[in-house]
Amino acid sequence: MREKMHAFPSNGNLPDLIVIGAGVIGSAIAYELSLRGRRTLNLDALPAAGYGSTSCSSAIVRFSYSTPTGVSMAWEALHYWQHWGDYLQHEDGPLAELITCGMAVLDTGSGLASRVRPLFEQLGIPHEQWDRPTLQRKMPLLDTMLMGPPTPIDSDEFWAEPTQPLVGALWMPDAGYVNDPQLAARNLQRAAQTHGAEFQFNTRVVEVQRDGDRVTGVTLADGSSIAAPIVINVAGPDSGRVNDLAGLGGTMAISTRPMRQEVHHLPSPLGSDGQPLNHLIADDDTGIYVKPEAGGMLAIGSMEPACDELEWIESPDDYAPRVSAEGWERQTLRLARRIPDLAIPNRPLGIVGIYDVADDWIPIYDRTDLDGFYVAIGSSGNQFKNAPFAAHAMAELIGAVENGQDHDHDPVRVVGQYTGAEIDLGFFSRNREINRNSSFTVCG
C-alpha cells in the first residue's frame, strides 16, 4: 500500500510539469507523478526512452553502498524490480526482468566489504560472510590471492606474484541485474502514458524560462515554447547545460560533469564445475566489477581505482563512441589476474557510456534556488537500480515543496512501502558537503 501522496496545483490545460529527460529516472518520475494525477510532459533530445546513458548501464541491482542511506535506498528499490509488473500496473508488451544471480564483494580485510558489512548488519540486509575456502568452492574460476591495491598495468607492481590470501567475500544472495535497461525505461514510459503522460523525443531544450525567481516553462530548438510551473532536470550527462540554461550555474555546493566510461565484453572460461562465472563480483582489489551475461559472456567495468585517470569530457555530444585498445587491455588484464584461465580475444568488444558524475558520486535529488525547478542529477552511473524509488522520492519532495515545506531547512522524509526504511532526502541535497564516506565509484 502506498504512503500518502502530496497533491499539486493545477495548470489548466497545460502540462503540470515538464521533465527534461526520458532515461530510466526521467521516465520513472513521469510515472510516479502521473499516478498522482499530474499531467507530465517528458522532453528528450534522443529518439526514444532510455536511449542514452540508460541503454549503456550495466543495470546491476546491489546494496553495497558505503553509507546507511545508500544501502537503505538500494534495498528498498530492489523490491520494485522484484514486483516490476505489479508496480507498473499493466501487461502491455514484454517487461524488463530482474535476474537474481547474487553478488560477491571480494574481501581484502580493509576494502569495500569491511565498510559495507556493518551497514548490512545494522539494516538487516541478508548477507553471508564467506571465508576463503568457501569462496574457492563457490567460485572455482577465481584466484583468491590478494592482488592489490590496483596499479597501472605497465607498472612492475601489477605483475608481482601475490603472497597473501584474500579474507574471503561478502555475499549478497538477493543481488542481480536487470536484463534490458532500455526496455525498463520503455516500460515506465508506457505505464506513465496509460495515466496520461506525454513524451516528446528528438526535442532539445535551449532555454529555461523564468519570471523573477520562478520557472515558467521552456523554449525548444525549433523556437516553440511550452509553459509549465514546474520543470525537472533529469537530463543525465546534459544536466549541467540545463542548469546553466536556468541560470543556476555555480549555485550548488555539489557540481556534476560528464565522464566517459567503457564496459568490455568477453567470454567466460569454464570452472572445474563445468560452469562459466555466473555471479556478480565487485573486486576493489583489482579495481573492476564483473557481471555475467547471456551465452556465457562477461561484462567488465571499472571501480575507478585511484591509479586510473578518469576521462572527463566537455560535452556529452562529443566523445569517442567505441571502446579503446588501451581500455580493453587494462580491464581484461585485470580480470585475467583474478581469472587465470581467461582467454582474451584479439578484438576489443564492449560499449561506451557517459556518466553524469557528482563530486562525491552521490546523486542530487533536490529543489533549486529557482522556485519550481527541481533536479534529479549526478546519478554517477550507479543509480539505475534506484530509479523507481528515487522517482517516488522526487514526486513526494516536489509535492511537499510546492505545498510550502521548506526542504532546505526541514528536509522531506519518505518511507519505503516495501521495507519501511525512512530516507531523509536532505542526504541528497545540492548544498551538502562532499560525503567522504562515499565509495566514489559506480559498480554498475
Side-chain angles (χ1 to χ4, degrees), residues 36-51:
R36 291 158 171 79
R38 297 302 92 200
R39 289 185 299 277
T40 63
L41 172 63
N42 285 63
L43 304 173
D44 198 293
L46 296 173
Y51 196 86

Side-chain angles (χ1 to χ4, degrees), residues 139-184:
M139 299 184 179
L141 278 167
L142 303 190
D143 184 324
T144 57
M145 298 294 286
L146 280 168
M147 310 285 181
T151 59
I153 63 172
D154 57 0
S155 68
D156 292 339
E157 290 86 355
F158 183 83
W159 299 105
E161 191 68 26
T163 59
Q164 298 296 319
L166 287 168
V167 173
L170 178 67
W171 172 248
M172 293 176 279
D174 296 303
Y177 61 93
V178 175
N179 66 335
D180 190 332
Q182 186 176 9
L183 178 59

Side-chain angles (χ1 to χ4, degrees), residues 48-67:
Y51 196 86
S53 297
T54 293
S55 66
C56 298
S57 174
S58 293
I60 291 173
V61 179
R62 48 91 183 179
F63 333 108
S64 48
Y65 284 82
S66 52
T67 65

